[in-house]
């Protein structure tokens, strides 16, 4: 049975007060392409309901519905009659999942790539040489050390290392 955690709910509302305007009409779920493709298994209304009720374990531990399935297309935000900022709220929930090391393996691999290369998907030598042959401009990324400093100061690096140790 899920436990109501008022502190958690208040944290979400403090981050984004629009959560409290939701009256559970389901317009968001009705227009969501991921809900359509998953036959309703993914359901943005339900994530918002769990946030309103402060069901931290459902949102962070069990992840039912899985917030990582959201494609951030913003259709639900455009459709919501109450102007609930769903994707902003989902970002907070995903950040909390990340802090607990509960995020998809593919994102972990991307996080490692950012730490090592400064970008999530490094260019292959073949792509770089083809670009050169085509006369395309040389690609430059931001200095890796600066990126690493930012990632350390936002706890990104520590969270990646923590997950690897688990
Ligand atoms: S459309 Fe807006 S008000 Fe309706 S359930 Fe979704 S978030 Fe709540
Ligand atoms: S932003 Fe996410 S929840 Fe909203 S409609 Fe798009 S996929 Fe669905």
């Amino acid at each position: 049975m899920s436990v109501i955690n008022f502190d958690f709910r208040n944290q979400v509302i403090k981050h984004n007060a629009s959560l409290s305007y939701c009256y559970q009409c389901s317009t968001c779920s009705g227009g969501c392409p991921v809900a359509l493709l998953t036959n309703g298994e993914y359901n943005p209304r339900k994530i918002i309901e769990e946030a309103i009720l402060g069901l931290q374990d459902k949102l962070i531990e069990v992840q039912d519905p899985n917030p990582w399935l959201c494609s951030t297309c913003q259709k639900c935000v455009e459709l919501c009659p109450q102007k609930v900022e769903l994707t902003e709220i989902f970002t907070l929930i995903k950040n909390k999942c990340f802090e607990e090391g509960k995020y998809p393996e593919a994102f972990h691999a991307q996080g490692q790539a950012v730490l090592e290369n400064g970008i999530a998907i490094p260019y292959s030598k073949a792509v770089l040489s083809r670009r050169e042959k085509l006369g395309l401009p040389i690609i430059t990324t931001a200095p890796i050390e600066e990126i690493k400093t930012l990632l350390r100061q936002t706890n990104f690096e520590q969270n990646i290392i923590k997950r690897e140790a688990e």
Side-chain angles (χ1 to χ4, degrees):
M1 198 178 111
S2 295
V3 179
I4 291 177
N5 180 335
F6 290 115
D7 283 344
F8 181 80
R9 184 191 62 184
N10 292 341
Q11 273 177 42
V12 183
I13 290 178
K14 195 171 168 197
H15 171 80
N16 196 308
S18 74
L19 176 70
S20 53
Y21 305 148
C22 172
Y23 51 32
Q24 291 287 293
C25 66
S26 237
T27 305
C28 49
S29 297
C32 172
V34 181
L36 183 69
L37 281 171
T38 60
N39 289 324
E41 189 180 323
Y42 174 76
N43 182 332
R45 180 206 60 75
K46 201 165 174 210
I47 298 178
I48 293 295
E49 180 186 25
E50 290 172 357
I52 291 168
L53 293 172
L55 302 181
Q56 184 177 9
D57 56 338
K58 274 258 184 188
L59 290 164
I60 311 294
E61 298 296 323
V62 187
Q63 298 188 9
D64 176 26
N66 184 347
W68 301 97
L69 291 179
C70 172
S71 68
T72 329
C73 70
Q74 306 289 10
K75 194 164 176 199
C76 54
V77 177
E78 285 176 19
L79 292 174
C80 175
Q82 289 294 90
K83 303 201 182 312
V84 177
E85 295 169 352
L86 292 95
T87 48
E88 292 290 319
I89 294 164
F90 297 164
T91 297
L92 174 77
I93 290 165
K94 285 187 277 188
N95 283 344
K96 289 193 173 295
C97 292
F98 180 75
E99 284 166 12
E100 296 299 321
K102 305 213 173 278
Y103 55 97
E105 184 53 39
F107 293 158
H108 182 70
Q110 282 196 354
Q112 282 174 313
V114 171
L115 274 172
E116 285 163 23
N117 309 293
I119 53 175
I121 304 173
Y123 298 99
S124 68
K125 281 187 182 159
V127 167
L128 291 175
S129 100
R130 229 175 298 145
R131 286 182 63 89
E132 194 181 345
K133 278 184 197 146
L134 291 167
L136 293 170
I138 293 169
I139 296 168
T140 52
T141 56
I144 289 180
E145 279 315 310
E146 281 184 27
I147 291 172
K148 284 187 175 174
T149 302
L150 282 172
L151 296 178
R152 266 177 219 126
Q153 291 184 354
T154 53
N155 284 339
F156 181 87
E157 184 181 36
Q158 293 88 324
N159 283 331
I160 293 278
I161 292 168
K162 188 173 132 195
R163 167 139 158 180
E164 279 169 8
E166 283 170 357

